[in-house]
Amino acid sequence: MRVNKDHSSPVERLHAGRSRRIAALAVVIALAACAESPPPIGTVGHVRGFAGLVAADEPRAAVVARDVLSAGGNAADAATALYYTLAVTLPSTASLGGGGSCIVHDAERKTTEILEFPALPSTESGQVATAVPANPRGFYALHAKYGLMRFESLLAEPERLARLGTPVSRALANDLARVVPLLSRDPEARAIFFRPDGAVLREGDILRQPELAAVIANLRRNTGDFYLGMAARDLVKSVKSTGGTLNLDDLRDLRPAWRDTLKVRVGTEIAHFAPPPSVGSTVTAEVIGMVWPRWSDAPEDERPHLLAEAQARAFADRARWMQRNGWSTEPPGSLVAPEKLTRLFSDYAPDRHRPVSGASATPPDSNVSASFAVLDGKGSTVVCGIGTGGVFGQGRVAPGTGIVLATAPGPGAPPSATTVMVVNPHTARVHFAAGSSGGAASPAALAETMLVALSGDTSLAEALARPRVVHLGTPDAAFVENAPYRFDPAPLSRRGHQTAPVAMPSRVEALRCREGQLQTPDCEAGTDPRGFGLATSVGKD
């Protein structure tokens, strides 16, 4: 006979078995929960659900910013990582040697302000006027005030890309092809941007920048050294060896500045623009201030004429207030005062063109910049415009640094960055944010994209692809876009405009959240189809 050593009662045995099954089930549930729990903060995939939007002129930089948002970083973190990646992947317009500005909206504090760090001319005299590098200190200031993640962690991927190499994007290859004669004159530039056979790098070639990687590595450890320490002394010697202008006082005295934005009311919302010396943003603000009250009621046939007339008057007014360095001769707020803009546009006629007087020559279209916009899952947003004073700036690289030197802004060619952010003052939510590049054409491109995106059911992609018209005041002609985004000049011609078809150099990177809702598909990012950037959303609902 078999002896049972369990002396418990049948009821006790039943409860014991049930307890064991419950315990086993609890273990299974715990293991499943562990398997489904997000990775730790700082790891891609940490954020579940909607984490934000990114739009940038260069794809790799947009991907790095996307990963920062996915890892739990905020808009300032992502913008910092995005910029430093651009310094590696698009040095033609985003070099460490340049400068720019950013509009920053903090969703928690419900504040919107601008950070300015323009690349000003050196006080040193020399053969070639060099801009003082402002981007490193500018983005350090952005992160110091608003960032969450460790600054050095955000520069790790840009440093790696510079050191180990990254494929040349179509955006960079396009810029390289435009300035082959300029870069070929500089041995440092040839060593970086040309192939062993003497041809310039093409799309897909590997771009390696070990000297730039060393600079970024030092910036990760001690950003101040770039402006005050041994790195600053080495940079000054390097720039002077190329015939450029720079001294230690220039670097020490460079200070990013937090300022109020230019504000224009658009319906129940406020459009924030960068003030002078961001001349392009100020011109855009004037155009929006003149056009917005009429736009929604204007028939489609009139809207091109409405835009052209407002642009001509804004550029004519620019000649009145703009100083040689881009700053204004009067308080920035007065430039967009409603009564002033009403007076400026008082002679508008819906049925005919009226020429303006007082317009002056505009900055050249080659004075391009780079732009990007980032929104995080909580609604904080950063939109930036940066530049080097032209494609590849001076066309020279400071020996031993890998830094493309920016051209100092001169008369008639102030910073070309053009940015806007539309915020509802009651909910403090961002409805639209965008940056535009393309010199004198960028204000028109940004204004038209914004007007179309905010009025009606048009998708952001359709707003970005809309054919464009530019009127600079002088010459008295409306430049209309030709193929592949052909603008029909008939509505302008019927109203007495002289028209001329041109290829538009403008590029717009934009974000839009309908009613400020932080979810897809209400929030969308868009990149200009004329360029080679990337727009992406991060996470899902």
Side-chain angles (χ1 to χ4, degrees):
M1 182 178 72
R2 185 176 179 181
V3 178
N4 186 354
K5 295 184 179 180
D6 185 357
H7 299 289
S8 60
S9 68
V11 174
E12 290 173 333
R13 289 197 299 273
L14 177 62
H15 284 301
R18 183 180 297 167
S19 298
R20 286 193 295 271
R21 288 194 297 274
I22 292 174
L25 181 60
V27 170
V28 171
I29 292 174
L31 289 174
C34 290
E36 294 179 358
S37 63
I41 189 169
T43 305
V44 175
H46 168 75
V47 177
R48 297 296 176 90
F50 179 75
L53 303 170
V54 179
D57 283 334
E58 197 280 326
R60 182 68 191 184
V63 170
V64 170
R66 179 199 66 188
D67 290 347
V68 170
L69 292 176
S70 177
N74 65 9
D77 295 322
T80 300
L82 197 160
Y83 165 68
Y84 273 99
T85 306
L86 281 178
V88 176
T89 60
L90 199 65
S92 49
T93 52
S95 164
L96 295 180
S101 65
C102 297
I103 303 175
V104 184
H105 175 74
D106 184 271
E108 183 177 351
R109 302 176 192 176
K110 298 183 179 181
T111 59
T112 306
E113 58 184 336
I114 183 155
L115 175 63
E116 291 187 334
F117 43 98
L120 301 175
S122 168
T123 60
E124 190 83 2
S125 59
Q127 297 176 3
V128 182
T130 304
V132 181
N135 282 329
R137 188 165 270 178
F139 283 93
Y140 186 84
L142 170 67
H143 181 268
K145 185 168 184 177
Y146 289 108
L148 293 177
M149 303 180 78
R150 294 179 65 89
F151 180 77
E152 57 267 29
S153 71
L154 302 173
L155 274 62
E157 181 64 7
E159 180 193 343
R160 187 189 71 81
L161 293 173
R163 190 177 305 281
L164 302 181
T166 183
V168 172
S169 67
R170 188 168 299 178
L172 178 58
N174 182 67
D175 283 350
L176 284 167
R178 295 170 60 184
V179 292
V180 171
L182 176 68
L183 293 180
S184 63
R185 295 196 291 265
D186 180 59
E188 297 291 329
R190 287 201 307 271
I192 298 171
F193 300 113
F194 284 70
R195 303 164 70 176
D197 63 3
V200 73
L201 292 178
R202 301 185 181 94
E203 181 182 356
D205 289 344
I206 301 301
L207 171 64
R208 293 184 176 86
Q209 302 169 87
E211 292 175 334
L212 181 61
V215 172
I216 295 175
N218 192 45
L219 285 166
R220 288 180 64 198
R221 295 188 298 267
N222 182 8
T223 303
D225 188 49
F226 187 89
Y227 290 94
L228 298 171
M230 288 300 300
R233 292 178 173 83
D234 291 342
L235 179 60
V236 168
K237 293 178 182 177
S238 177
V239 171
K240 288 186 174 180
S241 72
T242 69
T245 57
L246 190 66
N247 60 46
L248 290 174
D249 290 342
D250 293 330
L251 292 170
R252 181 198 64 204
D253 295 339
L254 189 144
R255 293 287 186 275
W258 292 99
R259 298 176 61 198
D260 291 335
T261 60
L262 287 181
K263 300 174 180 65
V264 175
R265 181 166 287 278
V266 287
T268 60
E269 300 170 338
I270 301 295
H272 298 263
F273 297 89
S278 296
V279 174
S281 292
T282 308
V283 171
T284 308
E286 290 195 1
V287 171
I288 293 296
M290 285 185 276
V291 169
W292 182 265
R294 302 172 183 264
W295 182 264
S296 60
D297 295 330
E300 189 65 30
D301 183 78
E302 183 191 340
R303 288 180 173 182
H305 168 67
L306 181 60
L307 276 169
E309 295 292 280
Q311 291 170 30
R313 283 152 181 77
F315 275 107
D317 189 54
R318 189 202 71 160
R320 179 187 61 80
W321 60 257
M322 189 185 77
Q323 301 182 68
R324 292 163 63 89
N325 59 3
W327 290 88
S328 172
T329 55
E330 55 192 77
S334 67
L335 299 176
V336 293
E339 59 274 12
K340 178 259 179 122
L341 296 180
T342 299
R343 185 173 62 254
L344 197 63
F345 211 45
S346 61
D347 65 341
Y348 172 74
D351 59 344
R352 64 185 183 280
H353 166 55
R354 287 183 170 173
V356 299
S357 59
S360 62
T362 56
D365 284 343
S366 62
N367 189 11
V368 298
S369 57
S371 62
F372 59 85
V374 179
L375 176 145
D376 64 31
K378 294 184 178 180
S380 292
T381 308
V382 178
V383 57
C384 300
I386 48 179
T388 54
V391 180
F392 282 97
Q394 292 184 354
R396 303 184 185 194
V397 174
T401 70
I403 297 174
V404 174
L405 298 178
T407 301
S416 58
T418 307
T419 50
V420 64
M421 187 181 297
V422 180
V423 182
N424 185 292
H426 305 293
T427 64
R429 290 182 175 179
V430 173
H431 287 198
F432 181 79
S436 176
S437 61
S442 63
L446 185 56
E448 185 171 357
T449 301
M450 174 182 164
L451 289 163
V452 175
L454 291 181
S455 57
D457 296 327
T458 304
S459 71
L460 186 57
E462 291 173 323
L464 288 163
R466 187 181 175 101
R468 293 168 183 164
V469 56
V470 177
H471 199 307
L472 305 177
T474 180
D476 184 18
F479 296 95
V480 297
E481 189 168 14
N482 58 11
Y485 304 97
R486 184 179 179 276
F487 190 104
D488 182 6
L492 295 171
S493 299
R494 285 196 296 269
R495 290 171 169 84
H497 288 273
Q498 296 294 319
T499 63
V502 296
M504 290 293 174
S506 50
R507 306 287 183 266
V508 180
E509 305 296 334
L511 314 174
R512 181 179 66 177
C513 288
R514 295 183 184 273
E515 305 302 324
Q517 297 300 314
L518 298 175
Q519 57 189 13
T520 55
D522 296 302
C523 284
E524 55 182 332
T527 187
D528 200 307
R530 300 161 186 78
F532 311 104
L534 176 68
T536 181
S537 61
V538 188
K540 299 179 180 179
D541 297 326

